[in-house]
Amino acid sequence: MGDTGTTSFLDQVRTEPTLSRARGLRRFLVKDPLESDLGRRRFRLRGGASRAIFTDAESSYVFGFNAVMSREIEKVEEISAEQRPFGYEGAAAACTVLDLLTLTRGRRLHELLTGPAQHHRHAAYVGAGRGYALLRLRPLWGARRAHPLLRWLAVDGFGFQWSLARADRMVGERTMPDLLTRAHCAVFDQGLGRLLWYHDSASPDDVAARIGGYPAGRRGDLWSGIGFAATYTGGADADELWWLTEHAGADGFRAHLAQGCAFAVAARLRSGTLPDHTAQAVPILAGAEPEEAASWTDQALLALGHEAHTHEDFRSWQSQSRRSWSHRHRC
């Protein structure tokens, strides 16, 4: 079992589609596939399925990033359907980096969002935020054109990537980047929460202990990120998911865990594929079937109207989704 993650990663590198060599500026931006091995970042990875799942997700991200650099975005469609959103996350990060370096005002990202990644917009906005973090720039500006509310997911992606690159400081010292405004910080923490799920290898006890070290005002958003990652990426079995709900409830943030889960299943359903691990997680973390949990986010979005675009609107989208969960479990 201890070698499962490494074998899976090496097998994927050998069998994934082949990319051509990038040229010009792009060849200096290509990522080494070994960046996908989170063990090299000193993450506390357990052996077995969780390590393989996280490594495969990051491998697909790197592949999508490099597909843009080699001008072969169409090859992301050759990744397995379950991993494809991570491929488009990487593609969006690459488009964002190129847009920012060449001052094209988000043209590449816009073309990706309205073209190949139109069914993976959640992943693409998260990827855009990762692109900003790679260049140490505050997110949002290049991501405005396609969806004024989903663009806030770029701050989530920024939080994940920023924390991934600085895990010792972000996880151990619990610092916050100076680049962010106060409005950004809560959504940043959702990305940090997703990173904690990876960092502590989907262990409910370790994740809960880690979150317990943060101030109470940050823990709800961290639990939201945990709910998203546990549902979207996976890594835990049913017993561990049930134990995760116990920890979140004991901390007073059970609704935040459910809301993160609901956002994740909504994104997965829009991508056209519902992985087995997502179908298993939703009834446990959200206490509802996938379609019902996803509908909480849809109803909340409709209630906000077409003019919603601010940070407060994004937070209201989340809080109304939490109220749907609370109402469901009072009945």
Side-chain angles (χ1 to χ4, degrees), residues 290-307:
E291 290 76 11
E292 180 184 351
S295 74
W296 301 339
T297 74
D298 294 337
Q299 292 164 8
L301 189 59
L302 286 172
L304 286 169
H306 295 297
E307 300 300 319

Side-chain angles (χ1 to χ4, degrees), residues 19-24 26-27 30 66 69-72:
L19 296 172
S20 303
R21 188 179 299 274
R23 298 181 179 181
R26 296 169 183 244
R27 66 190 175 94
V30 167
N66 289 344
M69 294 304 170
S70 65
R71 302 179 189 272
E72 296 173 293

Side-chain angles (χ1 to χ4, degrees), residues 93 103 159 281:
L103 304 178

Side-chain angles (χ1 to χ4, degrees), residues 84-154:
R84 199 171 300 147
F86 299 108
Y88 281 115
E89 183 180 327
C95 287
T96 300
V97 167
L98 289 172
D99 282 336
L100 291 168
L101 291 177
T102 59
L103 304 178
T104 50
R105 300 177 62 84
R107 175 181 58 81
R108 293 179 183 86
L109 178 61
H110 178 70
E111 290 174 352
L112 181 74
L113 284 163
T114 56
Q118 60 184 302
H119 299 301
H120 306 278
R121 290 188 302 167
H122 289 72
Y125 274 106
V126 167
R130 295 185 69 167
Y132 279 100
L134 289 170
L135 296 180
R136 299 177 61 86
L137 294 172
R138 185 184 301 171
L140 287 187
W141 287 278
R144 290 182 184 272
R145 296 170 62 185
H147 195 293
L149 201 56
L150 283 180
R151 68 189 175 96
W152 284 96
L153 292 173

Side-chain angles (χ1 to χ4, degrees), residues 23-25 27-29 70 80 102 110 121 134 157-158 172 178 192 220 222 247-248 253 257 267 272-274 308:
R23 298 181 179 181
L25 169 67
R27 66 190 175 94
F28 297 105
L29 299 172
S70 65
S80 70
T102 59
H110 178 70
R121 290 188 302 167
L134 289 170
F158 180 94
D178 294 335
L192 172 58
L222 294 172
H247 280 301
F253 296 105
L257 183 74
T273 300
L274 191 69

Side-chain angles (χ1 to χ4, degrees), residues 14 149 194 263 278 306:
R14 284 193 291 265
L149 201 56
R194 292 193 300 112
F263 271 56
T278 301
H306 295 297

